[in-house]
Amino acid sequence: MFTGLIEEIGVVQSIIRASQSAKITIEANQVLQDINLGDSISTNGVCLTVTAFNHYSFSVDVMPETMRKSNLNDLKSGSKVNLERALKLGNRLGGHLVSGHIDGVGIICTLEREDNATWVSIEAPDDVLRYIVDKGSIAIDGISLTVAYVDDKIFKVSIIPMTKEETTLLKKKRGEKVNIECDIVGKYIEKFFSLGELGEQKSKKDIDIKFLKTNGYVN
């Protein structure tokens, strides 16, 4: 489990590709402190397991499903990635609970400056947008952010200077892909209301943002 507060930007040192999977080695510094084999490190929002490490880098094995469902497949040597170690119990939770399990990939539509902030508009598939609510939490490439606008095609977030400097988001350009993880709360609510008293599956067609607002789950 993660918080979405990026600890550092790593640099891809190498990618060894198989037919569908890959072994990625990433240069890093801070996330290597107290590292152990089997540790989880969020890489662009994807929870990956450390399979090897030294004083300067760590390696992970990426399965075919992860390559298909995330932007890790677009990485190459020299690519920059957002890194965060798993949350320790007792730490302050400055972002929100992020599982590292990506819901889908979005496409950056526009980047617009407004004073000290930058608005980022992202087009997302319907099965991702259904869980995105105005003023709700979302993780984009592992970064915990607040949704400032959402409709049936896109959503927007506003990026402050610190996030610009300490993450890769504003280093991306229009048309580039980002990993999206929606707040897990909405998924549990949908699952709960799709089951009857005996646990049988019911239709999901009436479980939408209007339904959640009516029942007090979102404002």
Side-chain angles (χ1 to χ4, degrees):
M1 193 66 69
F2 307 93
T3 67
L5 300 183
I6 305 305
E7 294 188 272
E8 69 173 311
I9 296 174
V11 179
V12 174
Q13 187 179 75
S14 66
I15 301 181
I16 301 174
R17 297 181 183 271
S19 59
Q20 299 180 71
S21 62
K23 184 180 187 68
I24 303 177
T25 299
I26 300 169
E27 295 179 7
N29 182 18
Q30 187 170 346
V31 300
L32 297 177
Q33 298 174 17
D34 301 321
I35 194 172
N36 293 290
L37 291 178
D39 281 357
S40 295
I41 294 182
S42 172
T43 306
N44 272 3
V46 182
C47 179
L48 298 174
T49 300
V50 175
T51 57
F53 67 90
N54 56 34
H55 294 298
Y56 311 102
S57 65
F58 68 95
S59 298
V60 293
D61 291 319
V62 187
M63 67 180 72
E65 177 70 0
T66 304
M67 296 294 281
R68 285 191 296 267
K69 295 293 182 65
S70 73
N71 64 9
L72 298 187
N73 197 41
D74 297 331
L75 296 178
K76 55 188 178 181
S77 181
S79 293
K80 295 181 178 180
V81 291
N82 297 318
L83 301 176
E84 180 193 356
R85 290 170 293 183
L87 174 65
K88 286 184 178 180
L89 290 177
N91 282 5
R92 291 185 178 89
L93 183 61
H96 72 284
L97 290 177
V98 178
S99 70
H101 303 150
I102 302 304
D103 292 305
V105 173
I107 305 295
I108 295 177
C109 299
T110 60
L111 299 110
E112 302 176 0
R113 286 290 301 273
E114 183 184 25
D115 198 4
N116 69 333
T118 302
W119 284 92
V120 182
S121 300
I122 298 172
E123 182 181 354
D126 292 341
D127 59 351
V128 172
L129 282 169
R130 67 182 294 151
Y131 299 114
I132 300 176
V133 297
D134 190 32
K135 302 302 184 289
S137 296
I138 193 164
I140 302 175
D141 275 355
I143 309 161
S144 176
L145 297 167
T146 300
V147 177
Y149 171 88
V150 62
D151 60 28
D152 60 351
K153 296 294 182 183
I154 67 166
F155 69 94
K156 297 181 181 183
V157 293
S158 183
I159 305 303
I160 62 174
M162 178 176 286
T163 306
K164 174 183 177 181
E165 295 300 323
E166 296 186 359
T167 73
T168 64
L169 187 54
L170 293 190
K171 296 175 176 62
K172 291 180 176 287
K173 299 177 182 179
R174 180 177 177 181
E176 290 198 58
K177 298 176 183 177
V178 291
N179 294 324
I180 299 172
E181 181 188 335
C182 303
D183 194 337
I184 197 170
V185 174
K187 302 170 199 174
Y188 278 115
I189 293 172
E190 179 183 69
K191 181 68 174 181
F192 175 78
F193 278 104
S194 69
L195 297 175
E197 292 183 2
L198 299 178
E200 70 273 15
Q201 195 76 24
K202 298 194 301 184
S203 172
K204 295 182 181 180
K205 65 181 180 180
D206 295 326
I207 303 172
D208 53 18
I209 189 64
K210 181 179 180 181
F211 176 89
L212 296 178
K213 287 182 178 179
T214 300
N215 287 274
Y217 286 96
V218 298
N219 296 324

